[in-house]
Amino acid sequence: MPATPLPIGSYVTSWRPGPVTEEDRLNPGPVSAVSALLDLPHTVAGTGDALPPLWQWFYFLRWPAQHELGADGHLRDARFLPPIPDRQRMFAGGRCEISEPLRLGEPTERVSSLSAVTPKQGRTGELLFITERQEFRQSGRLCVVEEQDIVYRSGRGPAGAHPTALDDQATATAEGPWRLSLQPDPTLLFRFSALTANAHRIHYDAPYCRDTEGYPGLVVHGPLLALLMLELVRRNAPERRVRTLSYRLRRPVFAGERILADGAAADGRAGLRIATHREARHATAEVTFACRQD
């Protein structure tokens, strides 16, 4: 008889990696590259300007040696990767509190730590929820606190209910007055992977997506969906400063599908979403704005 699998929580009972501190000067180059990726007519910020919310994801990048990557393109081992067998990773969402925006061209310190480790029983088996906390400081001031929620499983669960064929013509029905449309192709996904040092094969290796992961096509990055929702705020309320934001990634979107990011603002906050013709809420986000006098 095969051995009974150990509970997923048993692998992390004594796993408590310590914090790590890194530095980056926030060179304007990545902001220019992302602006070009989004087909903007000009770079959104230069030296001394505020970094848009969540654009810290294009900094503090690590480029590991090739032999450090697993078969799926992810790192085999890293400080905040839980020591569970046949580890599978899903980015679930996160939160961000912005006391003051980070400024481009200024020395910046990031302290990363493990905030929570929570085993849970999901519909498809045991899951391990990891929350990583990051604190960003400039000139000794705490400017931004970010938390990311990552879900892990040991081994593969049942394949999700993904479409067998993709429709590249159908569009979503709009709900809010703020609207942004995008039809990501493999080139865009490749460029976003490069800008975030993300080697996960689901974003560029179509045979791997279909044959190994069970997806009908290349998967659009969850962080790209979150950034598209925040781009609605940057374009439609440029005078408002984001104080807090939270987002949740619910269902994958695939290359070639027509994405609609839309939302609306009221009473000092904004509700945002990512939709396609087949799903009204692939991702959702909520933003609160700083008071006018802040």
Side-chain angles (χ1 to χ4, degrees):
M1 294 180 60
T4 302
L6 293 174
I8 197 169
S10 66
Y11 294 98
V12 293
T13 52
S14 60
W15 177 67
R16 291 296 181 271
V20 59
T21 300
E22 300 161 284
E23 295 183 351
D24 196 311
R25 287 197 64 89
L26 303 193
N27 186 293
V31 169
S32 296
V34 179
S35 300
L37 179 77
L38 296 176
D39 268 331
L40 301 176
H42 308 287
T43 184
V44 304
T47 299
D49 293 334
L51 185 69
L54 297 184
W55 286 41
Q56 66 266 21
W57 290 344
F58 303 105
Y59 294 91
F60 299 93
L61 303 182
R62 180 191 172 194
W63 289 93
Q66 193 68 16
H67 71 267
E68 296 180 59
L69 303 181
D72 61 357
H74 275 313
L75 279 166
R76 290 192 184 91
D77 297 296
R79 184 181 295 264
F80 300 116
L81 291 178
I84 60 178
D86 194 18
R87 184 178 54 230
Q88 304 297 318
R89 178 183 186 273
M90 296 161 283
F91 187 22
R95 295 154 300 284
C96 199
E97 183 175 346
I98 304 171
S99 300
E100 57 181 287
L102 297 171
R103 298 285 170 179
L104 284 183
E106 293 190 18
T108 306
E109 178 188 82
R110 181 181 74 174
V111 179
S112 303
S113 60
L114 191 66
S115 177
V117 181
T118 310
K120 293 185 179 181
Q121 185 68 37
R123 291 177 300 169
T124 59
E126 280 194 297
L127 301 171
L128 187 67
F129 286 74
I130 301 293
T131 299
E132 182 178 336
R133 177 183 173 91
Q134 298 179 343
E135 299 180 353
F136 297 84
R137 289 178 170 82
Q138 289 184 330
S139 301
R141 300 188 305 275
L142 180 61
C143 299
V144 176
V145 176
E146 179 186 359
E147 290 187 335
Q148 293 183 357
D149 299 324
I150 313 296
V151 182
Y152 295 90
R153 70 165 65 250
S154 179
R156 296 194 178 278
H162 306 303
T164 56
L166 299 177
D167 188 334
D168 62 0
Q169 297 298 318
T171 58
T173 300
E175 294 181 358
W178 293 354
R179 299 172 189 176
L180 172 61
S181 297
L182 184 71
Q183 189 173 21
D185 61 13
T187 303
L188 187 147
L189 299 190
F190 169 79
R191 295 177 74 190
F192 191 83
S193 288
L195 286 168
T196 53
N198 183 350
H200 195 185
R201 291 170 66 183
I202 64 172
H203 304 305
Y204 60 87
D205 188 337
Y208 174 85
C209 283
R210 292 190 299 266
D211 302 338
T212 302
E213 298 282 357
Y215 294 121
L218 298 178
V219 180
V220 177
H221 307 71
L224 178 55
L225 300 180
L227 285 165
L228 287 175
M229 290 188 286
L230 268 294
E231 187 66 5
L232 289 169
V233 176
R234 194 192 67 79
R235 297 186 186 191
N236 292 279
E239 76 288 353
R240 304 298 305 273
R241 185 169 69 81
V242 173
R243 183 69 176 83
T244 68
L245 65 93
S246 62
Y247 59 94
R248 182 178 176 188
L249 305 171
R250 301 169 181 268
R251 301 279 293 173
V253 180
F254 304 102
E257 293 190 293
R258 294 179 182 269
I259 295 174
L260 173 67
D262 76 357
D267 301 324
R269 63 183 62 239
L272 314 164
R273 65 160 188 155
I274 295 289
T276 66
H277 70 285
R278 60 182 176 84
E279 188 83 31
R281 281 165 175 75
H282 288 274
T284 55
E286 183 173 286
V287 164
T288 63
F289 296 107
C291 297
R292 297 285 186 176
Q293 61 268 26
D294 287 359

